Amino acid sequence: MKKIQEDIICLVLLWMSTIAIHAQSWDAVKSSSIYLYGEGYGATVQEADKQALSDLISKIAVNVSSVTNQSDNETVSNGSLTANSDFKSTIHTYSQATLTNTERIILKNEPDAHVGRWIKKSEIEKIFESRKLKIRSLIDLGNKAEKNLKIDDALRCYYWAYTLLRSLQHPNDMTGEDSDGKQQVLSVWLPEKINSVLDNIQASYIHKNGDDAEIAFAYKGQPVSSLDYTYFDGTGWSNIYSAKDGVGILELPSSSTLKQYQIKYEFEYRGQAHIDPEIESVMNTIKSVPFKAAYTNVKAKESSKRNEVLQALSNSTNSSITLQQPTDGGEKYAKMMAQVADAVRNRNYDAADNLFTPEGMEIYNRLIKYGSAKVVGNPVYKVYQDGNGTVGRGLNMCFSFKNGIRKAFVEDLVFTFNDQGKISNIAFGLGKKAENDVLGKVVWSETARKAIMDFLENYKTAYALKRLDYIKTIFDDDAVIITGRVVKRNPVMYQNPETGATIRNYDIIKYNRQTKDEYIRNLARTFASNEFVNIRFANNDIIKMGKGGEMYAIQIAQDYYSTHYGDKGYLFLMVDINDPKHPLIKVRTWQPEKDPKFGLYGPGDF
């Protein structure tokens, strides 16, 4: 009994000495002129820490504002910051996730928590460095997207970079390289770049299809890979519509008598800003910058350049990679695709039933229920041989939805015919650029290239059409499935009670590993709660593994849209296609952003 009492007394004394060490450390911080600090109180440590961080940020704002003359003298071009701008407000956009060089101390634990936060005054400048890195990264992504004619991604990246730039202490001092490697003052270059991209988009009327107007979109004379826009239908502005491979659609009221259409190209992407809390916070703090070049008017009649536009679209449907053409029967398959198009146009869906296998029929039924389906443009059908089957391309369709920020998507359909001449599968195409990226890997066999493309197209389609049964079949039972989410980077300082040493702990991105069954259950809940899901691959890098036969590693920048949610992130897949007709995913990882420690998951991690 005496021994137990002595142990208890030792523990109490140790606890009291730890509190004393904490108090001494905190008093030293508060009395020093080299630190800024904040304090917080609450029922929980989390609540107290949030209050302490807010207190610290307020003091940083006062300190920075006292040493900068931005509010009085510094103006970013295009009116983004003026003499009346309140720079203090932008400091509050630096959340706990971005203030990576602050320290934290728990002075008193729950239920009456007391937390302190502090930072060296000399470290304050580093607060802005991580934001500068993000700005440069966004510009680099914008340059790549523009080169690949992904104008939606290019505008989003440039505008988000510009928004972050405007929140810096000295925005006019930041320079960066343009796509030609020349140094530019970003406060001048970015708005000029956004205007330049907008000025180089051409919209042309194709024709009227019922109540819908079909519009061709080009960038510097080439059909865009992707572009987002809204339009005025005579009564109000639409939700966001998406053009793909140069074609978009305007859904108009049946009573519309418009002689021209007002279109606005999307560049701000406020609806997607939540995918990055830092960007969202800045966008909610700083006023938007209007760009008049984002608006255009398209006359509702055929222009003198219509044939030129249609020729460009026709050329874009032809893959630059030559595939083996069928020796006979090509016309038969083209007629079958045309029958499907007619059934959709006339809303007489049953008229095409006899063209499908039972499995193909199930996919067709899901397809016509995937939003309101409409045929876009005048299809130019292409048919080629794929093993014992045949593949047909060239039919574009627009799918529109009642709910969600994003209203409609244009997809090109890929038909697979079995050896009996029936349609056994329909998938959404990758898009011309991604298609050529895969088929252009001439160091691989044609069988491997087509198998990879088929896999990626079926993968994105399975998520769109909510084909859980199919998704189950393409995941190996022992697949490694990892999802990552950003958590607050949380530098904590506390005293080790045994050694008295100061310990710091950092959390950056939390990764969660799931079993196949857990992943499928979570996916089922997502499908059930959303009217639609749509996946787009912004770019893909594919390498063949050094072992495992036909084993491939695929890194993809993925855009994910659903009724209630949208995000962008990085998808990594390790796929076994030794049996091309039955690919198996061995590894699937998803990251919201590149990890500061190791970047992106890749084949070397598994």
Side-chain angles (χ1 to χ4, degrees):
M1 185 69 178
K2 184 178 180 181
K3 173 64 174 169
I4 294 174
Q5 290 176 335
E6 289 175 350
D7 289 344
I8 292 173
I9 291 170
C10 287
L11 287 171
V12 170
L13 290 173
L14 181 60
W15 174 76
M16 291 177 66
S17 67
T18 302
I19 295 297
I21 290 171
H22 281 186
Q24 290 171 11
S25 301
W26 184 237
D27 286 341
V29 168
K30 292 172 68 175
S31 61
S32 173
S33 62
I34 66 173
Y35 297 107
L36 292 177
Y37 68 89
E39 290 184 90
Y41 300 85
T44 65
V45 168
Q46 183 179 12
E47 182 182 331
D49 185 43
K50 184 178 180 180
Q51 191 180 109
L53 189 65
S54 178
D55 186 29
L56 174 59
I57 290 173
S58 294
K59 290 176 180 176
I60 291 173
V62 173
N63 180 270
V64 172
S65 295
S66 68
V67 297
T68 183
N69 61 356
Q70 184 204 49
S71 294
D72 297 324
N73 301 317
E74 196 158 339
T75 302
V76 175
S77 63
N78 208 19
S80 59
L81 284 174
T82 70
N84 295 321
S85 296
D86 183 6
F87 177 62
K88 289 183 183 180
S89 64
T90 66
I91 296 296
H92 291 272
T93 65
Y94 290 85
S95 66
Q96 186 175 354
T98 54
L99 286 175
T100 58
N101 51 346
T102 64
E103 305 286 2
R104 187 181 85 166
I105 188 169
I106 301 173
L107 296 162
K108 188 177 180 182
N109 217 327
E110 301 176 4
D112 300 310
H114 180 195
V115 172
R117 281 270 188 173
W118 75 95
I119 186 174
K120 283 185 177 181
K121 292 180 181 178
S122 60
E123 293 282 300
I124 290 177
E125 181 61 31
K126 293 182 181 178
I127 293 174
F128 301 99
E129 290 305 316
S130 63
R131 190 159 288 185
K132 290 178 181 178
L133 288 174
K134 182 168 286 188
I135 290 168
R136 290 192 170 93
S137 176
L138 284 167
I139 291 172
D140 183 52
L141 290 171
N143 287 334
K144 291 177 180 176
E146 184 185 358
K147 182 179 179 181
N148 291 326
L149 300 176
K150 295 181 178 293
I151 307 306
D152 50 352
D153 287 338
L155 286 169
R156 176 182 55 81
C157 289
Y158 290 143
Y159 185 80
W160 283 6
Y162 186 40
T163 300
L164 292 180
L165 176 73
R166 293 159 56 210
S167 72
L168 296 181
Q169 185 179 8
H170 299 290
N172 286 344
D173 292 346
M174 186 172 178
T175 61
E177 286 189 359
D178 61 17
S179 56
D180 297 323
K182 296 179 181 178
Q183 285 293 318
Q184 303 285 350
V185 177
L186 295 183
S187 61
V188 176
W189 182 82
L190 273 169
E192 288 181 351
K193 184 64 176 176
I194 294 169
N195 270 316
S196 173
V197 172
L198 291 168
D199 283 337
N200 278 290
I201 303 172
Q202 300 95 35
S204 305
Y205 176 83
I206 300 176
H207 61 205
K208 197 84 178 286
N209 186 1
D211 294 330
D212 305 328
E214 293 178 12
I215 307 295
F217 294 99
Y219 183 70
K220 295 183 178 179
Q222 298 182 67
V224 299
S225 290
S226 53
L227 173 72
D228 292 334
Y229 60 93
T230 58
Y231 60 91
F232 189 74
D233 66 4
T235 59
W237 284 91
S238 72
N239 286 11
I240 296 176
Y241 278 61
S242 296
K244 181 180 179 183
D245 291 334
V247 179
I249 191 171
L250 313 183
E251 294 183 304
L252 302 168
S254 57
S255 59
S256 175
T257 57
L258 292 174
K259 301 301 182 184
Q260 67 176 11
Y261 310 119
Q262 188 178 12
I263 296 173
K264 179 187 177 184
Y265 305 124
E266 176 64 22
F267 62 86
E268 195 171 7
Y269 289 95
R270 278 188 174 270
Q272 288 185 21
H274 67 273
I275 68 178
D276 188 315
E278 183 178 4
I279 291 173
E280 182 180 40
S281 180
V282 174
M283 293 187 83
N284 288 337
T285 303
I286 296 178
K287 290 183 178 180
S288 300
V289 177
F291 287 88
K292 291 183 179 180
Y295 296 87
T296 190
N297 291 314
V298 178
K299 291 184 178 180
K301 64 178 184 179
E302 296 179 6
S303 69
S304 58
K305 293 185 177 181
R306 180 177 183 272
N307 291 336
E308 187 179 317
V309 170
L310 292 177
Q311 184 60 49
L313 289 174
S314 177
N315 291 340
S316 75
T317 64
N318 294 313
S319 171
S320 61
I321 310 301
T322 301
L323 294 168
Q324 180 184 353
Q325 300 294 319
T327 54
D328 55 14
E331 186 177 345
K332 178 184 77 171
Y333 298 119
K335 285 182 178 179
M336 291 173 68
M337 289 186 283
Q339 282 181 259
V340 173
D342 288 339
V344 172
R345 281 195 193 98
N346 300 325
R347 298 185 182 277
N348 182 19
Y349 304 114
D350 295 346
D353 286 359
N354 64 315
L355 304 176
F356 294 91
T357 65
E359 183 184 25
M361 190 67 205
E362 180 193 351
I363 298 170
Y364 174 63
N365 286 332
R366 286 178 180 266
L367 182 77
I368 59 180
K369 293 175 183 177
Y370 181 64
S372 176
K374 299 176 181 178
V375 176
V376 175
N378 295 313
V380 179
Y381 299 112
K382 305 293 179 184
V383 181
Y384 62 86
Q385 198 71 37
D386 184 13
N388 294 327
T390 303
V391 173
R393 298 174 183 268
L395 177 60
N396 287 350
M397 291 179 65
C398 177
F399 300 90
S400 57
F401 304 90
K402 295 179 181 178
N403 301 307
I405 294 175
R406 190 172 292 266
K407 177 75 173 177
F409 304 89
V410 173
E411 298 286 357
D412 55 302
L413 303 191
V414 182
F415 292 81
T416 301
F417 301 86
N418 68 5
D419 55 3
Q420 302 299 312
K422 294 280 188 178
I423 300 171
S424 59
N425 189 41
I426 304 176
F428 293 160
L430 295 181
K432 303 307 171 198
K433 178 65 172 62
E435 190 178 307
N436 288 340
D437 284 347
V438 175
L439 295 177
K441 302 285 187 181
V442 293
V443 293
W444 306 335
S445 69
E446 184 173 300
T447 299
R449 285 179 280 158
K450 288 193 287 187
I452 292 169
M453 192 166 71
D454 290 347
F455 164 76
L456 289 174
E457 291 174 336
N458 284 315
Y459 180 91
K460 64 170 285 188
T461 308
Y463 282 77
L465 302 187
K466 303 178 182 179
R467 295 184 62 199
L468 272 177
D469 289 344
Y470 173 79
I471 293 171
K472 287 179 185 177
T473 68
I474 61 173
F475 276 91
D476 188 89
D477 288 341
D478 298 318
V480 175
I481 302 173
I482 299 173
T483 54
R485 64 183 180 89
V486 178
V487 295
K488 296 175 180 178
R489 184 180 274 188
N490 189 22
V492 181
M493 187 185 103
Y494 63 97
Q495 301 288 336
N496 186 312
E498 295 182 0
T499 66
T502 299
I503 300 174
R504 290 189 180 124
N505 180 46
Y506 291 85
D507 289 323
I508 305 174
I509 297 179
K510 184 176 181 180
Y511 296 96
N512 178 42
R513 179 167 176 174
Q514 303 175 61
T515 65
K516 175 181 175 179
D517 288 342
E518 289 171 337
Y519 176 73
I520 295 297
R521 282 198 299 271
N522 291 335
L523 197 59
R525 284 194 289 270
T526 298
F527 288 167
S529 62
N530 285 282
E531 179 192 6
F532 71 87
V533 172
N534 190 275
I535 290 175
R536 293 196 171 187
F537 298 149
N539 62 275
N540 53 80
D541 295 313
I542 307 172
I543 63 172
K544 186 175 182 180
M545 303 290 288
K547 56 183 179 180
E550 296 299 317
M551 186 82 73
Y552 291 85
I554 308 171
Q555 282 182 329
I556 301 168
Q558 175 184 276
D559 299 338
Y560 173 95
Y561 306 107
S562 67
T563 310
H564 306 296
Y565 179 74
D567 66 31
K568 302 179 79 70
Y570 297 92
L571 179 69
F572 171 72
L573 299 170
M574 188 181 293
V575 187
D576 179 350
I577 60 167
N578 281 289
D579 181 351
K581 295 299 181 185
H582 300 93
L584 270 182
I585 297 173
K586 299 291 187 178
V587 177
R588 179 197 184 273
T589 71
W590 186 88
Q591 299 167 250
E593 59 185 46
K594 294 181 180 180
D595 192 290
K597 291 182 178 178
F598 63 84
L600 296 176
Y601 276 116
D605 297 309
F606 302 95

Short mmCIF file of all heavy atoms in Angstrom, two decimals, residues 474-482 513-517 519 574 584-588 606:
data_model
loop_
_atom_site.label_atom_id
_atom_site.label_comp_id
_atom_site.label_asym_id
_atom_site.label_seq_id
_atom_site.Cartn_x
_atom_site.Cartn_y
_atom_site.Cartn_z
N ILE A 474 -13.93 -5.90 -61.72
CA ILE A 474 -12.63 -5.39 -62.18
C ILE A 474 -11.66 -5.12 -61.03
O ILE A 474 -10.50 -4.79 -61.29
CB ILE A 474 -12.80 -4.11 -63.03
CG1 ILE A 474 -13.44 -2.98 -62.24
CG2 ILE A 474 -13.56 -4.41 -64.30
CD1 ILE A 474 -13.47 -1.65 -62.98
N PHE A 475 -12.11 -5.30 -59.78
CA PHE A 475 -11.21 -5.18 -58.65
C PHE A 475 -10.80 -6.57 -58.16
O PHE A 475 -11.65 -7.43 -57.92
CB PHE A 475 -11.87 -4.41 -57.49
CG PHE A 475 -11.77 -2.92 -57.62
CD1 PHE A 475 -12.76 -2.20 -58.27
CD2 PHE A 475 -10.68 -2.23 -57.10
CE1 PHE A 475 -12.68 -0.82 -58.39
CE2 PHE A 475 -10.59 -0.86 -57.22
CZ PHE A 475 -11.58 -0.14 -57.87
N ASP A 476 -9.52 -6.78 -58.03
CA ASP A 476 -9.01 -8.01 -57.44
C ASP A 476 -9.53 -8.12 -56.00
O ASP A 476 -9.68 -7.11 -55.31
CB ASP A 476 -7.48 -8.00 -57.44
CG ASP A 476 -6.89 -9.33 -57.01
OD1 ASP A 476 -6.69 -10.19 -57.88
OD2 ASP A 476 -6.63 -9.49 -55.80
N ASP A 477 -9.81 -9.34 -55.56
CA ASP A 477 -10.34 -9.52 -54.20
C ASP A 477 -9.38 -8.98 -53.14
O ASP A 477 -9.81 -8.55 -52.06
CB ASP A 477 -10.62 -11.00 -53.93
CG ASP A 477 -11.84 -11.50 -54.71
OD1 ASP A 477 -12.65 -10.65 -55.13
OD2 ASP A 477 -11.96 -12.72 -54.90
N ASP A 478 -8.08 -9.01 -53.43
CA ASP A 478 -7.08 -8.52 -52.47
C ASP A 478 -6.51 -7.18 -52.90
O ASP A 478 -5.38 -6.82 -52.52
CB ASP A 478 -5.95 -9.55 -52.33
CG ASP A 478 -6.45 -10.89 -51.80
OD1 ASP A 478 -7.27 -10.86 -50.86
OD2 ASP A 478 -6.04 -11.93 -52.32
N ALA A 479 -7.26 -6.42 -53.67
CA ALA A 479 -6.76 -5.13 -54.17
C ALA A 479 -6.41 -4.19 -53.02
O ALA A 479 -7.08 -4.15 -51.99
CB ALA A 479 -7.81 -4.47 -55.07
N VAL A 480 -5.32 -3.43 -53.23
CA VAL A 480 -4.94 -2.38 -52.28
C VAL A 480 -5.71 -1.12 -52.68
O VAL A 480 -5.54 -0.60 -53.79
CB VAL A 480 -3.42 -2.12 -52.33
CG1 VAL A 480 -3.04 -0.94 -51.43
CG2 VAL A 480 -2.65 -3.37 -51.94
N ILE A 481 -6.57 -0.63 -51.80
CA ILE A 481 -7.41 0.53 -52.09
C ILE A 481 -7.15 1.59 -51.03
O ILE A 481 -7.42 1.37 -49.84
CB ILE A 481 -8.91 0.15 -52.12
CG1 ILE A 481 -9.15 -0.95 -53.17
CG2 ILE A 481 -9.76 1.38 -52.41
CD1 ILE A 481 -10.56 -1.51 -53.16
N ILE A 482 -6.61 2.72 -51.44
CA ILE A 482 -6.23 3.78 -50.50
C ILE A 482 -6.84 5.10 -50.95
O ILE A 482 -6.76 5.47 -52.12
CB ILE A 482 -4.69 3.94 -50.44
CG1 ILE A 482 -4.04 2.64 -49.94
CG2 ILE A 482 -4.29 5.11 -49.53
CD1 ILE A 482 -2.52 2.66 -50.00
N ARG A 513 -6.99 3.07 -45.77
CA ARG A 513 -7.00 1.86 -46.61
C ARG A 513 -8.30 1.11 -46.39
O ARG A 513 -8.76 0.93 -45.27
CB ARG A 513 -5.81 0.96 -46.27
CG ARG A 513 -5.78 -0.31 -47.11
CD ARG A 513 -4.47 -1.04 -47.02
NE ARG A 513 -4.51 -2.29 -47.76
CZ ARG A 513 -3.47 -3.08 -47.95
NH1 ARG A 513 -2.28 -2.74 -47.46
NH2 ARG A 513 -3.59 -4.19 -48.65
N GLN A 514 -8.91 0.70 -47.51
CA GLN A 514 -10.18 -0.02 -47.45
C GLN A 514 -10.02 -1.39 -48.10
O GLN A 514 -9.21 -1.58 -49.00
CB GLN A 514 -11.27 0.75 -48.21
CG GLN A 514 -11.50 2.16 -47.73
CD GLN A 514 -12.51 2.88 -48.62
OE1 GLN A 514 -13.66 2.47 -48.72
NE2 GLN A 514 -12.07 3.95 -49.26
N THR A 515 -10.85 -2.32 -47.64
CA THR A 515 -10.95 -3.59 -48.34
C THR A 515 -11.85 -3.39 -49.56
O THR A 515 -12.54 -2.38 -49.68
CB THR A 515 -11.55 -4.68 -47.44
OG1 THR A 515 -12.91 -4.31 -47.15
CG2 THR A 515 -10.77 -4.82 -46.14
N LYS A 516 -11.86 -4.36 -50.44
CA LYS A 516 -12.72 -4.28 -51.60
C LYS A 516 -14.18 -4.15 -51.18
O LYS A 516 -14.93 -3.31 -51.72
CB LYS A 516 -12.53 -5.52 -52.48
CG LYS A 516 -13.47 -5.59 -53.68
CD LYS A 516 -13.23 -6.86 -54.48
CE LYS A 516 -14.24 -7.02 -55.61
NZ LYS A 516 -13.99 -8.23 -56.42
N ASP A 517 -14.61 -4.96 -50.21
CA ASP A 517 -16.00 -4.92 -49.77
C ASP A 517 -16.35 -3.56 -49.18
O ASP A 517 -17.45 -3.03 -49.42
CB ASP A 517 -16.27 -6.03 -48.75
CG ASP A 517 -16.29 -7.41 -49.39
OD1 ASP A 517 -16.44 -7.49 -50.62
OD2 ASP A 517 -16.14 -8.40 -48.65
N TYR A 519 -14.95 -0.66 -49.86
CA TYR A 519 -14.98 0.31 -50.94
C TYR A 519 -16.29 0.23 -51.73
O TYR A 519 -16.91 1.25 -52.04
CB TYR A 519 -13.79 0.08 -51.87
CG TYR A 519 -13.78 0.98 -53.08
CD1 TYR A 519 -13.48 2.34 -52.96
CD2 TYR A 519 -14.08 0.49 -54.35
CE1 TYR A 519 -13.48 3.17 -54.07
CE2 TYR A 519 -14.08 1.30 -55.46
CZ TYR A 519 -13.79 2.65 -55.31
OH TYR A 519 -13.79 3.47 -56.41
N MET A 574 -3.06 0.35 -60.73
CA MET A 574 -2.17 -0.68 -61.24
C MET A 574 -3.06 -1.80 -61.76
O MET A 574 -3.83 -2.40 -60.99
CB MET A 574 -1.24 -1.20 -60.14
CG MET A 574 -0.16 -2.14 -60.67
SD MET A 574 0.92 -2.78 -59.35
CE MET A 574 1.73 -1.28 -58.84
N LEU A 584 -7.88 -6.61 -64.31
CA LEU A 584 -8.03 -6.64 -62.85
C LEU A 584 -7.23 -5.49 -62.23
O LEU A 584 -6.03 -5.33 -62.51
CB LEU A 584 -7.53 -7.96 -62.28
CG LEU A 584 -8.54 -9.12 -62.14
CD1 LEU A 584 -7.84 -10.31 -61.51
CD2 LEU A 584 -9.75 -8.71 -61.30
N ILE A 585 -7.89 -4.71 -61.39
CA ILE A 585 -7.20 -3.64 -60.67
C ILE A 585 -6.56 -4.22 -59.42
O ILE A 585 -7.24 -4.76 -58.54
CB ILE A 585 -8.19 -2.52 -60.27
CG1 ILE A 585 -8.79 -1.88 -61.53
CG2 ILE A 585 -7.50 -1.47 -59.41
CD1 ILE A 585 -9.91 -0.89 -61.23
N LYS A 586 -5.24 -4.13 -59.36
CA LYS A 586 -4.50 -4.62 -58.20
C LYS A 586 -4.33 -3.54 -57.13
O LYS A 586 -4.29 -3.84 -55.94
CB LYS A 586 -3.11 -5.12 -58.64
CG LYS A 586 -3.15 -6.27 -59.63
CD LYS A 586 -3.65 -7.54 -58.97
CE LYS A 586 -3.52 -8.74 -59.91
NZ LYS A 586 -3.98 -10.00 -59.25
N VAL A 587 -4.20 -2.29 -57.60
CA VAL A 587 -4.02 -1.16 -56.68
C VAL A 587 -4.84 0.01 -57.18
O VAL A 587 -4.85 0.30 -58.38
CB VAL A 587 -2.53 -0.73 -56.59
CG1 VAL A 587 -2.38 0.50 -55.68
CG2 VAL A 587 -1.65 -1.87 -56.10
N ARG A 588 -5.54 0.67 -56.27
CA ARG A 588 -6.23 1.92 -56.59
C ARG A 588 -5.98 2.91 -55.45
O ARG A 588 -6.27 2.62 -54.30
CB ARG A 588 -7.74 1.73 -56.74
CG ARG A 588 -8.48 3.05 -57.05
CD ARG A 588 -9.97 2.94 -56.79
NE ARG A 588 -10.69 4.15 -57.18
CZ ARG A 588 -10.87 5.21 -56.39
NH1 ARG A 588 -10.36 5.21 -55.15
NH2 ARG A 588 -11.52 6.29 -56.81
N PHE A 606 4.50 0.23 -54.57
CA PHE A 606 3.81 -1.04 -54.35
C PHE A 606 4.60 -2.19 -54.95
O PHE A 606 5.29 -2.04 -55.93
CB PHE A 606 2.40 -0.99 -54.98
CG PHE A 606 1.56 0.13 -54.44
CD1 PHE A 606 1.49 1.35 -55.11
CD2 PHE A 606 0.88 -0.02 -53.25
CE1 PHE A 606 0.73 2.38 -54.61
CE2 PHE A 606 0.11 1.01 -52.75
CZ PHE A 606 0.04 2.21 -53.42
#
